[in-house]
Amino acid sequence: MTPAGRPAITLALSKGRIFDETLPLLKAAGVEVLEDPEKSRKLILATSHPDVRVVLVRASDVPTYVQYGGADMGVTGKDTLIEHGSQGLYQPLDLQIAKCRISVAVRSDFDYATAVRQGSRLKVATKYVNIAREFFATKGVHVDLIKLYGSMELAPLTGLADAIVDLVSTGNTLKANNLVEVERIMDISSRLVVNQAALKLKQEPIRRLIDVFERTVCAAST
Ligand code: PRT
Ligand code: MG
């Protein structure tokens, strides 16, 4: 509760692109974050709105925080939601931010099409094992999945894997590492997620934020 007796709202964000791209939406709702996460070491950031605070968590931890009520709301990539599962999360809005795609990439000298046609078993390194498993199963391609937590681009260069499943935005990282995108699995953007109990208990302030975000997203896309 705030000193005024109103329910406070905690919003979980991850540092970097999600934080940066959520700021204009907050601003439209009259909420300014009072500290720069790149400069401060604080994990709880006050805002200009006495009832709203921001907590900084790892991108892949946002759904967990919101699911268990450590935060009332959060912003998280569709990739993270699919990989993590979205049980118990209300997803009212696609915010159309932090856009990218999830793709399959291989070394430019690797003949992916022939390997697939011949039914070869592929070694695939990824952070997104569930998305990759589902994609290759649907395609009827046999894969050995290798779970990594970062720098996926390195795997084909070192012989750890034939292919990677990773996020691509400009494609510059692939190009710099002599990799090529051979399949586009799905387009990704970030969603607003809300704890279902919080939505009932703090309905009014949460609805108000959702409404402003929705209007701002709509205005930006027209
Ligand atoms: O970095 P950390 O391990 O802490 O966590 P994270 O990688 O999960 O977080 P973060 O902040 O990097 O990404 C959060 C979310 O942003 C992701 O879950 C996506 O929904 C979204 N997003 C949008 C992206 C990108 N674009 C993106 N380009 N996330 C990661 N990337 C990576 C990409 O994988 C590549 O390695 O950025 C690199 C550069 O991409 P190019 O193609 O522009 O060169
Ligand atoms: Mg990252």
Side-chain angles (χ1 to χ4, degrees), residues 8-164:
I9 301 289
T10 301
L11 174 69
L13 298 175
S14 52
K15 273 209 257 192
R17 67 193 103 221
I18 288 188
F19 182 88
D20 298 343
E21 295 184 36
T22 302
L23 281 190
L25 297 171
L26 286 171
K27 202 168 176 189
V31 178
E32 297 217 37
V33 182
L34 298 177
E35 239 148 342
D36 178 354
E38 300 304 330
K39 292 187 186 136
S40 159
R41 287 177 168 270
K42 282 195 187 161
L43 296 174
I44 300 180
L45 308 179
T47 73
S48 59
H49 196 300
D51 304 354
V52 180
R53 64 178 188 168
V54 169
V55 292
L56 295 175
V57 303
R58 276 294 289 266
S60 46
D61 290 335
V62 168
T64 308
Y65 266 82
V66 177
Q67 187 176 351
Y68 294 107
D72 300 305
M73 325 169 73
V75 176
T76 183
K78 185 179 167 190
D79 50 316
T80 308
L81 275 176
I82 294 176
E83 198 59 32
H84 169 276
S86 53
Q87 225 191 341
L89 293 174
Y90 174 56
Q91 296 180 45
L93 202 54
D94 184 337
L95 298 172
Q96 301 288 338
I97 60 169
K99 284 187 179 179
C100 57
R101 54 197 185 268
I102 186 158
S103 295
V104 181
V106 298
R107 261 166 62 160
S108 56
D109 59 2
F110 182 81
D111 190 348
Y112 174 80
T114 300
V116 167
R117 199 171 342 107
Q118 291 176 342
S120 313
R121 207 174 171 91
L122 292 180
K123 281 189 289 175
V124 178
T126 186
K127 176 162 122 180
Y128 301 102
V129 286
N130 293 325
I131 293 173
R133 185 183 299 112
E134 163 89 25
F135 175 74
F136 286 110
T138 304
K139 244 180 111 65
V141 174
H142 293 287
V143 291
D144 291 318
L145 293 170
I146 303 168
K147 168 87 185 185
L148 291 178
Y149 293 89
S151 301
M152 263 73 83
E153 293 88 357
L154 193 57
L157 306 180
T158 54
L160 179 68
D162 304 309
I164 58 171

Side-chain angles (χ1 to χ4, degrees), residues 50 69 105 109 113 126 148 189 197 201 207 212:
D109 59 2
T126 186
L148 291 178
S189 54
L201 294 169
R207 282 280 170 212
V212 178

